[in-house]
Amino acid sequence: MENFAAGRGTMAAKMTPTARILIIAGSDSGGGAGIQADIKTVTMLGGHATTAITAITAQNTLGVDAVHPVPTEMIIAQMDSIIGDIGVDAVKIGMLPGPFAAEAIANRLKQMDKVPIVFDPVMVATSGSKLADDATIAAFGKLMDIATVATPNLPELQRLTSEDDPVAAALHLVGQHGCAVLIKGGHEEGDAIADALIEEDNMTSWQGQRIQTDNTHGTGCTLATAIATFLGQGASLNTAVEQARTFVRVALHDAPDIGQGAGPIGQGSVRLDVGTGLRLNQVTVTGSNYRKSVEFYRTLGLRQIVDSPENGYARFEAAGGATLSVQIDPEETILATTAIYLECDDLDERVEQLARSGITFEHGPRNQPWMWREARLRDPSGNIVFLYHAGEARRFPPWRVD
């Protein structure tokens, strides 16, 4: 039996620090759901996405216009090509073209030992378009038999079991197939929503406020793929679900507002908000004058996201999602022992533009021995700020130690 457990590497026991996620799903030409959303999610979470495409769809934010199923033999060929070379640390299964494909995929995945499998039983697109017929839905049981967790939304859960109560329906699936079931509460009415992970001997729930947006296309795909990625990186199921929920919620907040219907969510800026390891994503400096500090950092080009003058606190967001805060304390002695570095690709142009707007620089752009080009200035409180450009030399200088 093949063994592609997380961290085990390929069949030749080759070690790799990057989780390899096999995505078995359909293509969404609009880029909001399916394979496209899955690849974005895996990439932003630091994994490597591989794909076995099950169907090609012509769709956008308004609906699905056409579906072209990929022959089952080609789906299995894609899987074999990936498994035989790259290896797999976790699997996500989404849209399936028919019952024969579902059974063939299940039989192929049975040959892989100890690989987490996340099954998202896709039946209907966010737009309401039907993506699975009755025969295909009937075959979903074979995939739940081998899955680690299934992630149905409430209508899908009811369709799979004919149970009206979500918990009873989930327990029905757990008892019948042995996989955990994540009940997704996004289809419930009201501002408060709850998700629940039902296992054979445990239930974990998460509550949250509904994020008011029409841009929800691909939320189910993204959630399931994020769970698979975290499982492939070695997280427990509870931790994987919790982190995946955070990823989706931030992506909903950061949706780009594209299209005339249910737009895609914004996976592209979530990397600093959730993931494995320590992330340097927030810096706070002390200031002495609120108005001048806010004006300075906004003039530099940072986006203010918290404005609390009564508390002497402001927070700014940089491109990429990192944040910088200023906490005003007039009695604090500010020692310029730490520098803030803000990278920009248009350094010389930006410095010239800022200088014309009244920003004073201690020195303009200079090439440094450590392969950065930087300009130095201070904020109104005396904190040192550098605008710089390093490119690959920041993380990958010739003298990098690995």
Side-chain angles (χ1 to χ4, degrees):
M1 180 176 285
E2 297 166 344
N3 190 333
F4 288 89
R8 294 290 187 90
T10 65
M11 294 180 68
K14 187 183 298 182
M15 297 299 291
T16 174
T18 302
R20 302 151 301 172
I21 312 303
L22 170 57
I23 304 160
I24 305 169
S27 170
D28 174 0
S29 60
I35 289 287
Q36 287 82 349
D38 298 333
I39 292 173
K40 287 184 280 187
T41 300
V42 174
T43 301
M44 294 311 298
L45 290 174
H48 175 72
T50 60
T51 62
I53 297 176
T54 60
I56 300 170
T57 70
Q59 65 174 296
N60 51 35
T61 65
L62 298 173
V64 179
D65 297 319
V67 177
H68 178 72
V70 172
T72 298
E73 295 78 6
M74 186 59 188
I75 298 172
I76 301 302
Q78 293 174 81
M79 295 171 62
D80 286 339
S81 182
I82 294 159
I83 293 167
D85 172 36
I86 296 170
V88 178
D89 293 308
V91 178
K92 179 274 177 92
I93 306 169
M95 177 185 174
L96 298 172
F100 182 63
E103 184 171 353
I105 291 167
N107 289 336
R108 182 63 185 92
L109 293 178
K110 282 180 184 177
Q111 301 172 37
M112 299 167 62
D113 186 31
K114 297 181 180 179
V115 176
I117 298 172
V118 180
F119 176 43
D120 182 20
V122 175
M123 300 180 192
V124 179
T126 301
S127 62
S129 301
K130 188 176 179 180
L131 295 176
D133 59 21
D134 293 342
T136 304
I137 294 170
F140 282 175
K142 297 182 182 297
L143 291 161
M144 287 187 281
D145 287 340
I146 61 169
T148 305
V149 60
T151 62
N153 58 36
L154 292 178
E156 290 166 346
L157 187 57
Q158 199 277 335
R159 179 73 185 279
L160 288 169
T161 63
S162 299
E163 297 268 6
D164 292 327
D165 179 74
V167 175
L171 288 170
H172 178 100
L173 293 179
V174 171
Q176 185 175 6
H177 301 287
C179 65
V181 174
L182 177 64
I183 304 173
K184 299 183 297 189
H187 284 72
E188 289 182 316
E189 295 182 357
D191 291 335
I193 58 173
D195 301 327
L197 178 64
I198 310 297
E199 301 173 87
E200 289 183 344
D201 56 356
N202 190 47
M203 181 176 82
T204 308
S205 63
W206 294 267
Q207 287 75 40
Q209 287 297 113
R210 184 180 303 278
I211 298 167
Q212 298 299 332
T213 177
D214 293 328
N215 300 310
T216 58
H217 188 45
T219 50
C221 302
T222 299
L223 179 68
T225 300
I227 293 171
T229 304
F230 288 124
L231 289 174
Q233 292 169 341
S236 68
L237 181 55
N238 271 28
T239 299
V241 171
E242 183 169 352
Q243 291 180 310
R245 289 183 75 258
T246 300
F247 184 94
V248 171
R249 289 185 64 83
V250 175
L252 282 165
H253 282 297
D254 218 17
D257 197 21
I258 292 173
Q260 303 171 56
I265 63 176
Q267 297 96 337
S269 298
V270 189
R271 187 163 190 170
L272 290 176
D273 297 279
V274 62
T276 58
L278 294 174
R279 299 180 299 280
L280 181 58
N281 57 15
Q282 159 69 22
V283 173
T284 300
V285 298
T286 303
S288 57
N289 184 295
Y290 185 83
R291 183 187 62 80
K292 290 182 178 180
S293 294
V294 167
E295 182 181 357
F296 174 81
Y297 285 106
R298 291 183 66 170
T299 301
L300 287 188
L302 299 184
R303 176 188 177 196
Q304 187 173 7
I305 59 173
V306 175
D307 182 16
S308 183
E310 66 276 11
N311 296 309
Y313 182 83
R315 187 181 306 151
F316 305 86
E317 184 176 1
T323 52
L324 180 146
S325 297
V326 178
Q327 179 66 67
I328 301 302
D329 186 351
E331 298 180 1
E332 180 73 21
T333 300
I334 297 174
L335 300 175
T337 58
T338 303
I340 301 164
Y341 277 78
L342 299 170
E343 185 164 17
C344 50
D345 293 342
D346 58 345
L347 175 63
D348 289 55
E349 281 181 32
R350 187 177 294 261
V351 168
E352 182 178 351
Q353 182 182 30
L354 289 170
R356 288 177 178 174
S357 70
I359 297 291
T360 300
F361 286 81
E362 294 186 350
H363 69 70
R366 294 178 183 174
N367 293 328
Q368 301 293 0
W370 46 91
M371 302 176 67
W372 298 6
R373 183 168 174 79
E374 57 188 43
R376 174 172 165 148
L377 65 161
R378 291 179 186 260
D379 74 5
S381 303
N383 295 297
I384 300 171
V385 178
F386 284 95
L387 301 186
Y388 81 112
H389 179 62
E392 66 183 83
R394 178 179 67 89
R395 293 182 56 215
F396 298 100
W399 46 85
R400 174 178 167 126
V401 178
D402 286 318

